């Protein structure tokens, strides 16, 4: 266990150093979320007046912010495997696998890095929403739960992206699969629209959608009177799925080595 923690720490620091050399990367990844936040926030301002739309007294910007946080986490995590493919192309992956580095540590390092990036992105998005007039009655505790849910969603899809990268070993294939998953999962959730006015089949799909779990946790946590019965089961489901995907990603190293 000590070796795993030590190796994970070193690999996390390696990734963080790469980020510190290119700090503009975080800002670039925020361009799309800012467009969602303020363009959608203005375009659909009056959608909260639709009969059946939940969140009485809530502005659409306040409704949308948890969705943008989750969408940013999902889209960033879905590209996590590109780092592995770059390491493969440079021969770094083979050198790491030939070293005593634990396979679990290689996964942990990338997941920890992605989680740190998500926390920074989510904090900036919430601050921008607040500057735009949104107010969140959940306070610091609600923001903390929002960050936790975003991190768990990141772990799920970053681990999946790493596993896919180890299997397909091609940038184009990984990007295609990432896009195939990210957009449908985003729109089959309550990220941008209250599911109470959505078709029944979308509500059914959203029940099993990790993206929606994250959005619901965040939206409830940031509200003045959270429904904790909706928060804790979804957080638990996200945590369990994150562990399962981490195990899957670690097992994917064997598939990569067999195809080398």
């Amino acid at each position: 266990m000590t070796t795993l923690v030590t190796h994970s720490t070193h690999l996390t620091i390696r990734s963080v150093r790469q980020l510190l050399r290119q700090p503009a990367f975080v800002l670039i990844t925020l361009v799309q979320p800012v467009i969602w936040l303020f363009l959608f926030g203005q375009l659909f301002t009056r959608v909260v007046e639709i009969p059946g739309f939940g969140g009485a007294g809530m502005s659409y910007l306040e409704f949308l912010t948890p969705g943008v946080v989750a969408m940013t986490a999902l889209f960033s995590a879905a590209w996590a495997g590109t780092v592995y493919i770059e390491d493969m192309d440079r021969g770094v992956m083979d050198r790491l696998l030939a070293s005593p580095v634990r396979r679990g540590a290689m996964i942990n390092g990338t997941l920890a890095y992605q989680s740190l990036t998500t926390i920074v992105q989510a904090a900036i998005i919430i601050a921008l929403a607040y500057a735009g007039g949104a107010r969140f009655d959940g306070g610091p505790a609600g923001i903390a739960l929002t960050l936790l849910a975003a991190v768990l969603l990141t772990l799920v899809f970053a681990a999946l992206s790493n596993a896919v990268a180890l299997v397909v070993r091609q940038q184009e294939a990984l990007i295609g699969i990432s896009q195939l998953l990210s957009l449908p999962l985003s729109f089959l959730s309550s990220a941008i629209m209250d599911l109470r006015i959505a078709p029944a089949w979308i509500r059914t799909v959203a029940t099993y959608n990790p993206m929606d779990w994250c959005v619901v946790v965040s939206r409830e946590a940031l509200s003045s009177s959270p429904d904790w019965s909706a928060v804790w089961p979804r957080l638990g489901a996200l945590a369990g799925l994150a562990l399962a995907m981490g195990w899957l990603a670690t097992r994917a190293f064997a598939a990569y080595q067999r195809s080398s």
Side-chain angles (χ1 to χ4, degrees):
M1 181 61 71
T2 303
T3 303
L4 178 63
V5 172
T6 301
H7 289 176
S8 299
T9 302
H10 287 313
L11 291 172
T12 301
I13 293 172
R14 170 183 177 250
S15 296
V16 171
R17 282 175 177 165
Q18 292 176 344
L19 177 63
L20 293 176
R21 294 191 190 103
Q22 297 177 320
F25 172 77
V26 174
L27 297 177
I28 291 172
T29 61
L30 286 169
V31 171
Q32 193 173 48
V34 168
I35 293 174
W36 290 332
L37 198 64
F38 294 111
L39 181 59
F40 282 21
Q42 290 298 311
L43 184 62
F44 298 114
T45 297
R46 300 191 63 181
V47 76
V48 294
E49 300 172 12
I50 296 175
F53 196 98
M58 177 188 295
S59 71
Y60 185 66
L61 182 59
E62 291 164 352
F63 178 87
L64 180 63
T65 300
V68 173
V69 168
M71 289 168 72
T72 304
L74 173 61
F75 278 79
S76 295
W79 287 68
T82 59
V83 175
Y84 272 12
I85 292 178
E86 290 173 0
D87 283 346
M88 294 174 202
D89 293 340
R90 295 197 300 259
V92 174
M93 180 65 71
D94 291 333
R95 290 197 294 272
L96 284 172
L97 290 173
S99 72
V101 174
R102 300 278 294 273
R103 305 295 180 264
M106 294 173 66
I107 294 295
N108 291 343
T110 59
L111 297 186
Y113 160 73
Q114 289 292 332
S115 298
L116 290 172
T117 304
T118 292
I119 290 172
V120 173
Q121 291 171 330
I124 292 173
I125 290 168
I126 292 172
L128 289 172
Y130 191 89
R135 295 296 180 264
F136 305 107
D137 295 329
I143 292 173
L145 281 174
T146 295
L147 296 179
L148 175 59
V151 165
L152 289 174
L153 185 69
T154 294
L155 295 178
V156 170
F157 286 98
L160 178 60
S161 179
N162 288 340
V164 171
L166 289 167
V167 173
V168 302
R169 304 176 63 176
Q170 292 181 343
Q171 191 94 304
E172 297 80 6
L174 176 63
I175 292 172
I177 293 171
S178 298
Q179 295 288 4
L180 182 64
L181 288 175
S182 301
L183 285 174
L185 288 175
S186 295
F187 289 104
L188 292 173
S189 75
S190 58
I192 61 174
M193 186 58 61
D194 193 325
L195 292 181
R196 279 169 285 197
I197 58 175
W201 71 270
I202 292 182
R203 294 197 298 271
T204 300
V205 172
T207 304
Y208 306 98
N209 184 353
M211 171 75 175
D212 191 64
W213 302 344
C214 177
V215 174
V216 171
V217 168
S218 175
R219 195 167 285 140
E220 289 293 337
L222 291 173
S223 69
S224 57
S225 54
D227 179 3
W228 297 112
S229 65
V231 171
W232 302 123
R234 287 172 172 81
L235 273 180
L238 282 169
L241 189 57
L243 289 172
M245 287 300 174
W247 176 84
L248 177 67
T250 304
R251 296 287 296 175
F253 281 111
Y256 170 79
Q257 289 178 298
R258 284 197 298 270
S259 63
S260 297

